[in-house]
């Protein structure tokens, strides 16, 4: 046990606000496995659970100066996990509903409409944004999403660590999400 292991959650939260990376590491070690188990119970998918927890803990660090804990650190983390999981579930339902509507439309046999053209245009924009990613990040992202390689397989293939592969995929998804959301707000007709 490190000296930081003796600190309370409130003390660690205060240290994190002061840019103390060791305090952040202690929070990560203290809660990551519990949070992954919690997210897994909600999602039923280990990789998604890991991604949600990584996202929440990364957000904690990135917003360390502005986060105001009105509850305990553990309550904050569990609530953040729950909210992130619900957001993912909601997004997945919307995507599934949209995909179902496209499949239904295609099964009915109607001619190509504006909506299908918009889907193709959006696919082109997404491809352009993927191509604009930094080369190494793009390579890791494509191995993960297109070739469906695990983080371990990517790490072996590119001679990097599993953690680096996972972080690169996370960063790529985050960048793409920000860019696509920005484009969608500018071009609402897509």
């Amino acid at each position: 046990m490190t000296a930081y292991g003796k600190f309370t959650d409130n003390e660690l939260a205060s240290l994190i606000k002061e840019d103390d990376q060791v305090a952040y590491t202690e929070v990560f070690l203290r809660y990551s496995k519990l949070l992954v188990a919690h997210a897994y119970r909600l999602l039923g998918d280990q990789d998604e659970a890991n991604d949600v927890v990584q996202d929440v803990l990364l957000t904690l660090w990135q917003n360390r100066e502005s986060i105001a804990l009105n509850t305990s650190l553990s309550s904050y983390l569990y609530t953040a996990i729950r909210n992130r999981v619900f957001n993912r579930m909601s997004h997945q339902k919307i995507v599934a509903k949209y995909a179902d509507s496209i499949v239904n439309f295609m099964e009915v046999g109607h001619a190509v409409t504006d909506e299908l053209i918009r889907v193709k245009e959006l696919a082109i924009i997404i491809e352009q944004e993927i191509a604009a990613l930094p080369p190494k990040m793009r390579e890791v992202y494509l191995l993960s999403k297109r070739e469906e390689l695990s983080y371990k397989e990517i790490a072996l293939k590119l001679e990097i660590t599993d953690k680096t592969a996972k972080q690169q995929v996370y960063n790529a998804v985050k960048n793409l999400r920000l860019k696509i959301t920005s484009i969608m707000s500018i071009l609402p007709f897509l």
Side-chain angles (χ1 to χ4, degrees):
M1 177 188 279
T2 67
Y4 280 78
K6 297 176 184 175
F7 287 122
T8 67
D9 287 352
N10 288 341
E11 291 169 326
L12 289 172
S14 294
L15 290 170
I16 289 171
K17 279 188 164 202
E18 297 170 10
D19 296 336
D20 189 323
Q21 292 178 356
V22 178
Y24 174 76
T25 301
E26 178 61 29
V27 168
F28 181 87
L29 293 172
R30 191 177 288 184
Y31 285 105
S32 62
K33 287 182 183 178
L34 296 169
L35 294 172
V36 168
H38 179 60
Y40 179 76
R41 279 192 301 276
L42 296 170
L43 290 166
D45 182 293
Q46 191 66 44
D47 284 338
E48 288 239 6
N50 287 330
D51 288 347
V52 165
V53 171
Q54 182 179 8
D55 192 28
V56 165
L57 290 172
L58 185 60
T59 300
L60 172 69
W61 179 253
Q62 290 173 335
N63 299 327
R64 63 191 172 277
E65 295 173 3
S66 62
I67 290 179
L69 296 179
N70 300 325
T71 62
S72 68
L73 178 61
S74 62
S75 294
Y76 169 83
L77 292 171
Y78 277 96
T79 300
I81 294 293
R82 186 195 68 217
N83 291 342
R84 208 56 66 98
V85 165
F86 289 161
N87 286 345
R88 276 186 183 232
M89 288 174 160
S90 175
H91 177 72
Q92 288 170 345
K93 285 179 185 175
I94 291 168
V95 169
K97 186 176 179 182
Y98 187 68
D100 288 345
S101 72
I102 290 174
V103 169
N104 184 40
F105 178 80
M106 293 174 79
E107 288 175 349
V108 173
H110 292 290
V112 175
T113 65
D114 288 342
E115 187 170 59
L116 290 176
I117 292 170
R118 284 187 216 119
V119 168
K120 288 180 182 177
E121 289 173 346
L122 182 57
I124 290 168
I125 290 170
I126 291 170
E127 287 301 317
Q128 289 171 342
E129 291 304 327
I130 290 171
L133 290 170
K136 196 67 164 176
M137 184 185 294
R138 180 177 58 245
E139 181 179 19
V140 172
Y141 175 81
L142 292 174
L143 288 171
S144 173
K145 300 301 180 187
R146 295 237 171 104
E147 294 187 31
E148 300 182 345
L149 296 180
S150 69
Y151 297 128
K152 189 172 195 161
E153 291 169 322
I154 294 169
L156 289 172
K157 185 170 185 166
L158 300 180
E159 299 180 346
I160 58 176
T161 66
D162 298 8
K163 189 174 181 180
T164 300
K166 187 173 188 174
Q167 188 63 45
Q168 287 291 328
V169 170
Y170 171 81
N171 290 341
V173 170
K174 185 176 176 186
N175 287 345
L176 291 171
R177 186 180 301 137
L178 287 172
K179 288 181 180 180
I180 301 300
T181 302
S182 173
I183 289 169
M184 293 299 283
S185 68
I186 295 169
L187 306 171
F189 58 89
L190 281 179

